[in-house]
Amino acid sequence: MHHLNVGLLCGMMATEEQMIASPLKPLFVEQPYYLYTPDDHKSWSLLYSRMLPQWEKYANEHFLKGISCLGLQPDRVPRLEDVNRFLRPLTGFQAQGVGGYVPAFVFFDCLRQRSFPTTVNIRPATQLDYLPEPDIFHDIAGHVPMHTDPAFAEALVRFGDCAHTAAEMVSTVGVESLTSIIRAMARFFWFTIEFGLMHSKQGLRVYGSGLLSSHGEIEHAIASPEVQRYPIQLEWVINQSFAIDHYQPLLFIVDSFDHLFSLVNQLEQWMKAGKLNHVAPGEPGVNEEDLKSFLDAGTS
C-alpha cells in the first residue's frame, strides 16, 4: 500500500501546487462558481438524488437535521457563501474553499478556529462511486451537515486543540515520536469523523462523513455481515491501520457526540502521557509536509 498523506485523509486534496503562503496559514480561495459546467451540476444532482434515500435509512438524526438546515439545492453545486449563511449562526463554523493540499497541522488548526477547508472541485459523472481524494460533495454533503450540531462541532474544535498540544511537545519529543503522534491522530480522525458509527433509538446509524458521502458504503457499513463493528476503544483505534481503496471491514461505534468529545479529551491525555509515542506502524504514512507543519507550529 502506498503511503497516504495525512492532510489528504483529513479532507484535503493533494495537487501539484503544494506550496502555500505560510506553513501555518491555509491558502483559502474564492469559490470560482462561474467555472462550474452543466456537467458539474449534473454530477452534484446525481450524487445528491441517489444519496437521499440512503441518508433517510442510515444517517444519524443530527445529520438529517443538519442537511435540512443548510438549504442545499439538489440540482446545483452549492455556493459556499450560501452554505455559511445557514451554518455560521448555528455553531460558528464556516466552509472555506481551498485550491489544493493543506498540511495536517494547518487543517486541524482550522477546525480549532471553526473553519473547514473545503475542496471546490467536484468529481466527474464517470467517477461517482469512488474518488481517492475529497471533492465538494464529500466536504459539503458529507462533512458540513454534521458541523451544524453543537456537540459535534465542539468535538472538532477540541481535536484542533489536540493538534496544538502535539505541536507544543515538539521540543520534548523526537521526530519519530511526533510522527507516531500524528499517525495516531490521523487514525482517530479516520475511524470517528470519517467512518464513525453511533448508537441511536433506531439502532446503529452513520455519522462519519466518508460513509455519508458514499452511496454504496453507507449501506454496507450498517447492513453487511462482512463488517466488524465494535464499541470504540481508544487503544484499538490509534493502533489500527486502514486502506482507503475498498470498503472498510472494521468500524467503531460511539454512544453520542458527548462520548466522542470525551474520547478526544482522552486522546490528548494519552498524548501528554507519552502513550501515542509508539503506536503500531502502518498506514497512514506521515509525509514530510505534514510533519513539517507540526514542527513549524511548535517552533513559531
Side-chain angles (χ1 to χ4, degrees):
M1 174 60 63
H2 64 285
H3 282 287
L4 288 178
N5 175 302
V6 174
L8 173 60
L9 71 89
C10 294
M12 297 298 94
M13 178 184 68
T15 70
E16 295 297 326
E17 300 175 356
Q18 292 193 346
M19 298 304 293
I20 55 178
S22 160
L24 300 182
K25 292 183 180 179
L27 185 61
F28 291 128
V29 299
E30 292 293 325
Q31 182 186 21
Y33 201 83
Y34 65 95
L35 292 180
Y36 291 119
T37 66
D39 284 342
D40 291 331
H41 294 298
K42 181 180 178 181
S43 288
W44 176 274
S45 179
L46 289 170
L47 289 161
Y48 195 93
S49 63
R50 69 181 197 158
M51 283 306 305
L52 271 177
Q54 300 293 73
W55 289 333
E56 291 167 357
K57 288 177 66 175
Y58 302 114
N60 72 90
E61 61 181 336
H62 309 282
F63 174 88
L64 295 174
K65 181 180 178 182
I67 205 159
S68 68
C69 290
L70 292 176
L72 300 180
Q73 295 185 43
D75 60 346
R76 298 192 66 76
V77 176
R79 295 180 183 270
L80 298 187
E81 61 189 57
D82 293 336
V83 171
N84 290 332
R85 190 175 302 118
F86 293 102
L87 174 61
R88 195 181 296 112
L90 297 175
T91 61
F93 260 86
Q94 59 181 337
Q96 291 189 267
V98 291
Y101 166 65
V102 175
F105 177 83
V106 182
F107 176 81
F108 295 140
D109 183 57
C110 285
L111 299 183
R112 188 171 184 246
Q113 305 297 326
R114 298 179 186 268
S115 179
F116 184 67
T118 301
T119 313
V120 295
N121 68 296
I122 187 164
R123 72 193 75 175
T126 55
Q127 290 182 278
L128 294 184
D129 289 317
Y130 176 71
L131 196 68
E133 63 273 336
D135 71 339
I136 195 170
F137 187 81
H138 170 79
D139 285 345
I140 294 298
H143 278 281
V144 171
M146 297 303 309
H147 300 171
T148 66
D149 182 82
F152 184 86
E154 290 303 321
L156 285 184
V157 173
R158 190 74 185 87
F159 197 79
D161 290 338
C162 285
H164 274 258
T165 298
E168 290 166 0
M169 296 172 63
V170 163
S171 61
T172 59
V173 301
V175 169
E176 183 177 347
S177 292
L178 180 62
T179 300
S180 177
I181 290 169
I182 297 169
R183 179 176 289 113
M185 291 183 64
R187 287 171 173 170
F188 184 93
F189 194 93
W190 179 267
F191 284 112
T192 58
I193 308 304
E194 289 288 356
F195 284 88
L197 303 179
M198 69 185 303
H199 290 296
S200 76
K201 294 177 181 178
Q202 295 76 36
L204 280 187
R205 290 293 181 265
V206 167
Y207 76 92
S209 302
L211 298 173
L212 289 165
S213 58
S214 173
H215 176 261
E217 192 161 12
I218 188 172
E219 179 175 10
H220 185 264
I222 296 295
S224 173
E226 298 176 359
V227 178
Q228 299 180 72
R229 306 170 187 88
Y230 294 107
I232 192 166
Q233 295 187 50
L234 187 58
E235 60 269 32
W236 289 13
V237 168
I238 63 175
N239 288 292
Q240 179 63 48
S241 62
F242 56 84
I244 66 169
D245 58 355
H246 55 70
Y247 287 179
Q248 299 302 303
L250 174 63
L251 299 173
F252 295 101
I253 307 162
V254 301
D255 295 329
S256 65
F257 294 144
D258 288 337
H259 182 203
L260 178 62
F261 186 92
S262 72
L263 287 166
V264 182
N265 279 339
Q266 185 182 9
L267 182 72
E268 185 182 52
Q269 291 165 6
W270 282 24
M271 185 187 301
K272 291 178 177 179
K275 293 184 178 182
L276 307 186
N277 289 2
H278 303 288
V279 299
E283 297 292 357
V286 179
N287 73 13
E288 291 183 8
E289 286 296 318
D290 289 328
L291 179 61
K292 183 176 183 294
S293 69
F294 276 84
L295 292 170
D296 287 346
T299 57
S300 63

